[in-house]
Amino acid sequence: MSPMNDATGTAAPAACTAPRPSLPPGHVTLVGAGPGDPDLLTRKAHRMLQNASLVLYDHLVGPAVLDCIAPSAERIYVGKESSRHTLPQEEIIALMVRLARSGRSLVRLKGGDGYIFGRGGEEVQALAQAGIPFDVVPGITAAQGAGASMGIPLTHRDHACTLVFATGHLREDRTVGLDWELLARPRQTVVIYMGVGALPAICSQLIAHGLPADTPAAVVENATLPHERCLAATLATLPALAVAEKVQPPALIMVGQVVQLHGVLCAQTPVARAAAAPEAQPASAPQPASALRPEMTTA
């Protein structure tokens, strides 16, 4: 029976529950963490981390950068390594959208620059399609960090007037699908991300498509971190050197005449000069050539 209105004796209108207004979506900030050295974070990136309440971060974001996050912030690891993904990319995107739709703002923290082989473009495209506001804070990409740290200028008037970035992921059939004719052009620098597993194929294809076998080439491992190292060689000799030195990701492949400047420029960096100082190398304990810089090897 319907409740009665005491004043008129008529049936009171049934009580209705107004729908709750939906929360406005949270804001997502895609932040590039740089190549690893926390001193290479941009001021804006550092500020975003200090003010964050929730951070989704990748595998390539190192502990020193994570230390810049506000202690009170919630952290969610969504890292991906070769063949080992904590979450597939589609689930990472779904998680970001779900959190933002619940009203939570968050920082999506990626190594290097999110728009350079970091799948940041895919993520913000999904945010845009979902109507979620976002902004992007660029980071120093790994190639820039490696070049500066290891004395390999990415461009040089005498050696390289073109700079090409490529990704060296192996396909399921163990091949690398790249535009080899483009990559094998002279007077350019080629930097290949995520290509260590395909290094022999990459070097052989570059030679097959016209680059001389003695073209300078290098692998830079853990660029800008204390344990960084550079193996400088040629296209013909680099694969065997990388195997002998047990190179592991994260590492970049750098190809071009600019690589030959590594030995000259790297030797003049503060770290190398300190390592080469007399007090650092007693006469009674000869140092290997690689001691000119931590883990620097030239073939």
Side-chain angles (χ1 to χ4, degrees):
M1 184 173 67
S2 299
M4 303 298 291
N5 185 305
D6 290 339
T8 63
T10 58
C16 62
T17 303
R20 294 182 179 178
S22 59
L23 291 172
H27 186 100
V28 177
T29 302
L30 178 72
V31 174
D37 182 349
D39 287 342
L40 296 178
L41 281 169
T42 66
R43 292 178 62 185
K44 186 171 185 179
H46 188 269
R47 185 170 70 252
M48 293 297 102
L49 297 181
Q50 289 284 294
N51 294 334
S53 59
L54 172 61
V55 179
L56 275 61
Y57 67 97
D58 278 351
H59 169 66
L60 290 179
V61 180
V65 173
L66 294 176
D67 286 344
C68 298
I69 299 173
S72 60
E74 179 183 354
R75 304 180 187 186
I76 300 177
Y77 176 67
V78 292
K80 299 194 298 294
E81 302 175 61
S82 179
S83 303
R84 289 180 292 175
H85 295 181
T86 301
L87 286 178
Q89 184 65 37
E90 296 74 16
E91 292 187 24
I92 294 173
I93 291 173
L95 175 62
M96 279 197 305
V97 170
R98 184 167 68 251
L99 289 168
R101 280 180 170 165
S102 73
R104 300 193 68 179
S105 292
L106 62 99
V107 165
R108 176 71 175 101
L109 185 61
K110 290 178 166 288
D113 181 278
Y115 274 6
I116 299 179
F117 303 126
R119 305 191 74 170
E122 299 169 44
E123 295 185 4
V124 298
Q125 185 178 10
L127 295 174
Q129 291 172 347
I132 294 168
F134 66 88
D135 64 331
V136 178
V137 180
I140 293 176
T141 189
Q144 292 174 292
S149 185
M150 288 300 176
I152 303 176
L154 298 181
T155 65
H156 191 290
R157 287 181 63 182
D158 295 335
H159 303 296
C161 57
T162 303
L163 173 62
V164 180
F165 291 166
T167 176
H169 265 314
L170 283 170
R171 295 173 169 176
E172 291 184 2
D173 61 0
R174 307 298 294 174
T175 62
V176 185
L178 293 175
D179 186 341
W180 298 111
E181 291 185 0
L182 169 68
L183 298 181
R185 291 176 181 173
R187 290 187 55 78
Q188 68 179 10
T189 304
V190 175
V191 182
I192 300 178
Y193 290 66
M194 299 170 285
V196 171
L199 180 60
I202 289 169
C203 291
S204 65
Q205 286 290 344
L206 290 174
I207 294 171
H209 285 81
L211 279 182
D214 62 355
T215 299
V219 171
V220 179
E221 185 183 70
N222 294 306
T224 78
L225 296 175
H227 50 295
E228 67 184 351
R229 62 174 176 167
C230 178
L231 308 181
T234 67
L235 286 177
T237 60
L238 185 60
L241 178 62
V243 171
E245 294 291 333
K246 297 180 173 60
V247 172
Q248 297 293 324
L252 294 172
I253 303 166
M254 308 181 80
V255 179
Q257 294 301 321
V258 293
V259 174
Q260 67 184 317
L261 300 174
H262 159 69
V264 175
L265 301 183
C266 188
Q268 298 304 316
T269 62
V271 172
R273 294 175 69 180
E279 59 272 19
Q281 296 189 41
S284 59
Q287 298 295 309
S290 61
L292 288 176
R293 178 143 184 123
E295 298 297 329
M296 182 182 75
T297 304
T298 302

